[in-house]
Amino acid sequence: MSYILQTSHLSKRIGGKELVSDVNIHVKKGEIYGFLGPNGAGKTTVMKMVTNLWKPTEGTIALFGRLLEPSSYELFQRMGSIIEFPAFYEYMSGRDNLQVHCEYMGYYKKGSVEEALGMLDLTEAADVPVKNYSLGMKQRLGIVRAVLCRPELVILDEPTNGLDPVGMKKIRDLFRMLCTEYGMTFMISSHLLSEIESIADTVGVIHHGRMMREISMQEIAEMNTAYIEFVVEDTRKAAYVLAEKMGLEYFKIVGDSEIRIYDQGITTQKAAKELMKNGVELVSISRHTENLENFF
């Protein structure tokens, strides 16, 4: 399979300190790739190398099927990015900053700036100097600028920093729309599992500078199972009721007081009713679905 972005044994050392080591990433065209890891795991370091801000100590980076070299400037006309915090000409307006971006990207589609401003509700602030923008507004303007020229690949480092829940949802919807309708590819880093789970097609997990796993969200969904969990006073009695009275096979006793039912055909209400009917004292009832957080 060919990838729009691929790294091979990517490593970076500064002053004798190893920031990332042997990182192999595979981003497919047209997907949203979630780059997940705690703060300090190495996400920004990798993204700085992918965008040519830092040079790798070892390893290679391939973009659009070509090895990235110091002189590969033309490749970046096909990309958009935010690394750490977006920077602007502070005394210029939001509109003027976007127009300047279009100029140096050689992108002259009529109405594109106004359309971009409307994407994330920045039209009313379009003529306000950026120095007067809030953190959230600057973040939204940075995202708008990153996708303005319809790049093939967008690299975004913690793009929802400073945004409220409504703003985060708007941005997720925007990314999904651009991915679906325009075939754009996104690599999005975050330390928030819920953010990545809600949008990513594939997840790459990095920890202490090393890639732990790449896996599709579909694989995670298929490998994990929903279950009903009862906390009871007598697990042996509960197991007897489930097996002998209800004919269930797929359940498991966990510890001294928990019992988990994995049979997909049984409802929580039916199991609880049968247990109580047979004298099993219930302490608590809950239903669980394994998700990205459990996997992580």
Side-chain angles (χ1 to χ4, degrees), residues 24-36:
N24 298 298
I25 290 173
H26 308 82
V27 180
K28 293 177 283 190
K29 180 177 173 58
E31 75 168 350
I32 297 178
Y33 184 99
F35 196 29
L36 181 63

Side-chain angles (χ1 to χ4, degrees), residues 174-282:
L174 174 64
F175 293 162
R176 181 52 64 190
M177 182 275 290
L178 292 171
C179 185
T180 302
E181 296 188 15
Y182 294 91
M184 292 167 59
T185 305
F186 288 83
M187 181 182 185
I188 301 171
S189 77
S190 181
H191 63 280
L192 301 174
L193 285 84
S194 58
E195 180 183 346
I196 294 299
E197 183 174 28
S198 65
I199 192 172
D201 301 301
T202 301
V203 176
V205 181
I206 188 170
H207 189 57
H208 292 311
R210 294 180 178 272
M211 286 294 290
M212 308 302 293
R213 183 82 180 267
E214 280 186 319
I215 188 169
S216 72
M217 289 301 300
Q218 182 177 350
E219 286 179 86
I220 292 176
E222 290 173 355
M223 70 188 288
N224 292 306
T225 310
Y227 61 88
I228 305 167
E229 182 177 273
F230 290 97
V231 177
V232 299
E233 291 291 341
D234 189 339
T235 54
R236 292 181 65 185
K237 188 174 184 180
Y240 172 79
V241 173
L242 295 177
E244 301 300 325
K245 300 289 186 179
M246 300 183 68
L248 301 184
E249 297 181 22
Y250 303 110
F251 63 87
K252 179 172 69 173
I253 296 173
V254 181
D256 297 327
S257 60
E258 296 175 12
I259 192 160
R260 295 176 180 175
I261 301 174
Y262 293 90
D263 284 77
Q264 297 298 302
I266 193 71
T267 65
T268 305
Q269 294 83 356
K270 183 176 180 181
K273 182 178 179 180
E274 195 66 29
L275 288 169
M276 290 187 292
K277 177 183 173 182
N278 286 275
V280 177
E281 188 173 344
L282 304 181

Side-chain angles (χ1 to χ4, degrees), residues 107-125:
Y107 186 79
Y108 301 107
K109 182 181 178 183
K110 186 177 180 180
S112 59
V113 169
E114 298 305 318
E115 180 186 4
L117 288 165
M119 284 178 178
L120 292 177
D121 301 328
L122 289 168
T123 302
E124 291 185 7

